């Protein structure tokens, strides 16, 4: 089964986002997405609230718990099926912890100098699971650098919107092959590189 996913979305639980949980859930469901990750800065609360709303609405949309975390090497995004209470700030320890809990860690906008990005530190994090090679809010130049790193490191590449406003939702997304539409299978498919296509809308 092939599904559309956007794994980098910010809600009002991030100080720099205008998007409510209701706006996010309804937009992605109505536009044919089967899974999303809400990846607020330093909190799971937006994703947890989105899960509750999806359940109350009774709709087919998988919500992955996500968080964008500032580490000693730069920002990383974690994806998981359950809350993680103690979050390491050392990048290598964070990656290890996610692997031990069957979660996933990827590098968002790794070469964008206007963010708290990993930059060249990415090459030291050999155990990272994936790299965001299309970020709708990054320039073609910096996305190209991320794509080159993906090839060099042999990692799966993701496309995401990094949405903070209504206009930004769904601007970039990934189509992946999964057995079932649940968090475990989605994360497994990403780890195995079952990326069918990466889309950036104009």
């Amino acid at each position: 089964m092939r599904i559309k996913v956007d794994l980098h979305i910010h809600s009002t639980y991030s100080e720099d986002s205008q998007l409510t949980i209701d706006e996010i859930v309804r937009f992605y469901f109505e536009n044919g997405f089967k899974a999303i990750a809400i990846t607020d800065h330093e909190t799971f609360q937006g994703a947890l609230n989105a899960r509750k709303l999806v359940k109350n609405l009774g709709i087919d949309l998988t919500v992955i718990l996500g968080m964008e975390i500032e580490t000693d090497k730069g920002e990383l995004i974690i994806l998981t099926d359950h809350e993680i209470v103690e979050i390491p700030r050392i990048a290598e320890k964070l990656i290890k912890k996610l692997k031990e809990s069957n979660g996933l860690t990827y590098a968002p906008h790794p070469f964008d100098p206007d963010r708290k990005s990993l930059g060249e530190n990415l090459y030291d994090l050999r155990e990272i699971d994936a790299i965001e090679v299309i970020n709708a809010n990054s320039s073609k130049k910096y996305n190209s650098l991320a794509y080159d790193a993906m090839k060099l490191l042999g990692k799966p590449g993701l496309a995401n919107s990094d949405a903070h406003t209504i206009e930004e939702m769904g601007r970039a997304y990934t189509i992946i092959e999964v057995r079932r539409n649940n968090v475990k299978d989605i994360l497994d498919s990403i780890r195995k590189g079952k990326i069918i296509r990466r889309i950036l809308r104009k």
Side-chain angles (χ1 to χ4, degrees):
M1 173 172 58
R2 295 182 176 186
I3 62 172
K4 289 167 59 175
V5 301
D6 187 350
L7 304 176
H8 191 172
I9 307 163
H10 292 272
S11 78
T12 50
Y13 287 92
S14 292
E15 291 183 359
D16 56 354
S17 176
Q18 304 171 16
L19 293 171
T20 67
I21 297 302
D22 186 75
E23 287 171 334
I24 293 169
V25 166
R26 292 182 187 277
F27 172 88
Y28 283 96
F29 175 68
E30 291 169 2
N31 284 275
F33 286 80
K34 291 296 184 182
I36 59 172
I38 297 182
T39 54
D40 287 312
H41 297 285
E42 313 297 337
T43 180
F44 286 122
Q45 197 57 55
L48 291 168
N49 286 2
R51 276 191 173 177
K52 290 177 185 176
L53 179 58
V54 164
K55 184 177 180 179
N56 290 340
L57 293 173
I59 59 177
D60 180 20
L61 181 68
T62 296
V63 178
I64 301 168
L65 300 187
M67 188 188 299
E68 190 162 11
I69 299 166
E70 188 174 348
T71 75
D72 64 324
K73 297 286 199 305
E75 287 184 333
L76 289 172
I77 284 180
I78 64 172
L79 303 178
T80 177
D81 190 35
H82 58 275
E83 283 189 87
I84 297 174
V85 178
E86 295 183 6
I87 305 289
R89 299 294 162 166
I90 305 300
E92 291 87 351
K93 290 183 178 180
L94 179 62
I95 293 169
K96 181 180 179 182
K97 187 177 183 81
L98 266 291
K99 287 185 182 298
E100 290 171 350
S101 63
N102 297 315
L104 180 149
T105 313
Y106 76 82
H109 46 68
F111 294 100
D112 192 329
D114 295 325
R115 327 279 189 93
K116 297 172 183 177
S117 305
L118 291 173
E120 297 298 318
N121 290 329
L122 173 61
Y123 295 106
D124 297 327
L125 302 177
R126 296 284 172 162
E127 296 302 311
I128 200 167
D129 293 294
I131 298 171
E132 186 178 73
V133 298
I134 296 178
N135 178 296
N137 287 322
S138 289
S139 70
K140 183 177 180 180
K141 173 184 177 180
Y142 300 124
N143 283 334
S144 294
L145 290 173
Y147 185 85
D148 291 344
M150 174 199 76
K151 288 291 189 181
L152 182 62
L153 296 173
K155 301 294 182 179
L158 300 171
N160 295 312
S161 69
D162 193 3
H164 293 70
T165 66
I166 289 173
E167 295 76 20
E168 292 172 344
M169 285 194 292
R171 280 184 57 214
Y173 58 90
T174 310
I175 299 174
I176 63 174
E177 183 79 31
V178 296
R179 288 186 5 178
R180 294 164 298 179
N181 183 23
N182 59 42
V183 176
K184 180 183 181 300
D185 281 17
I186 291 168
L187 298 187
D188 282 347
S189 288
I190 295 170
R191 290 188 202 96
K192 294 173 182 175
K194 294 185 177 181
I195 310 296
I196 304 302
R197 196 174 174 195
R198 292 178 286 266
I199 309 292
L200 175 63
R201 292 194 293 107
K202 301 296 184 184

